[in-house]
Structures are given as structure tokens and as C-alpha cells.
Amino acid sequence: MKKERELKREIGEIEERIEDLERKRLRSQSSIVSSMLEKREPDARDAEYFRTLTSLIDLERENLRLLKSELKNREK
């Protein structure tokens, strides 16, 4: 029971981190799209920031899948 509560807490924390990372990524994405619409090269820093945040989001989502799977198996 204690482990299930801990898993649920961790899942909530990861979901919050993902939302925060997605908000940050949206700012760089907006800058990149704006550059494209203005037919100019996007700033390399924005592109790198976007790639870095996307990688972090992917890692957090994988952790989330693992934790949800573990929780599901415990609830059986």
C-alpha cells in the first residue's frame, strides 16, 4: 500500500515536470516557427534548446510509462 502511494506521488511529480518542460519547449518552438514564417534561419540556440527539452520530455514520458506499468501490476 505504501509503495502504491509512493508510485502515485512520483507519477504526479513526473506529470508536472513534463508539463513544465512542454511550456518551456513551446517558447523555443514559437521562436523557431516565427523564424520560418519570416523566411529566415532559426537561431541555433533556440533549435538546440528545443532538441534538448524534447529529449528530456521523452525521458520523463518513458519514466512515466514505467511507473504506471509498475502501479498497474501492483493493483492486480
Side-chain angles (χ1 to χ4, degrees):
M1 200 63 147
K2 182 179 178 183
K3 182 68 174 173
E4 287 178 14
R5 272 196 313 262
E6 187 177 314
L7 286 171
K8 287 178 182 179
R9 182 186 54 77
E10 287 181 52
I11 287 170
E13 288 174 2
I14 288 175
E15 288 172 339
E16 287 178 19
R17 280 196 303 266
I18 290 171
E19 288 176 16
D20 184 50
L21 290 168
E22 287 175 337
R23 276 191 296 277
K24 291 177 182 178
R25 182 177 66 171
L26 188 58
R27 288 192 292 261
S28 62
Q29 183 179 12
S30 296
S31 176
I32 291 168
V33 169
S34 177
S35 296
M36 292 176 158
L37 290 173
E38 295 172 3
K39 297 185 181 181
R40 59 184 172 81
E41 192 68 28
D43 187 301
R45 291 173 294 183
D46 288 331
E48 184 59 34
Y49 193 61
F50 180 83
R51 283 192 290 272
T52 300
L53 289 170
T54 299
S55 294
L56 291 172
I57 290 167
D58 291 342
L59 288 172
E60 291 291 354
R61 284 184 179 149
E62 181 59 30
N63 288 336
L64 183 61
R65 278 190 286 277
L66 292 172
L67 289 175
K68 283 185 173 183
S69 175
E70 184 178 342
L71 180 61
K72 184 179 177 182
N73 289 335
R74 288 184 166 274
E75 290 177 341
K76 286 184 179 178

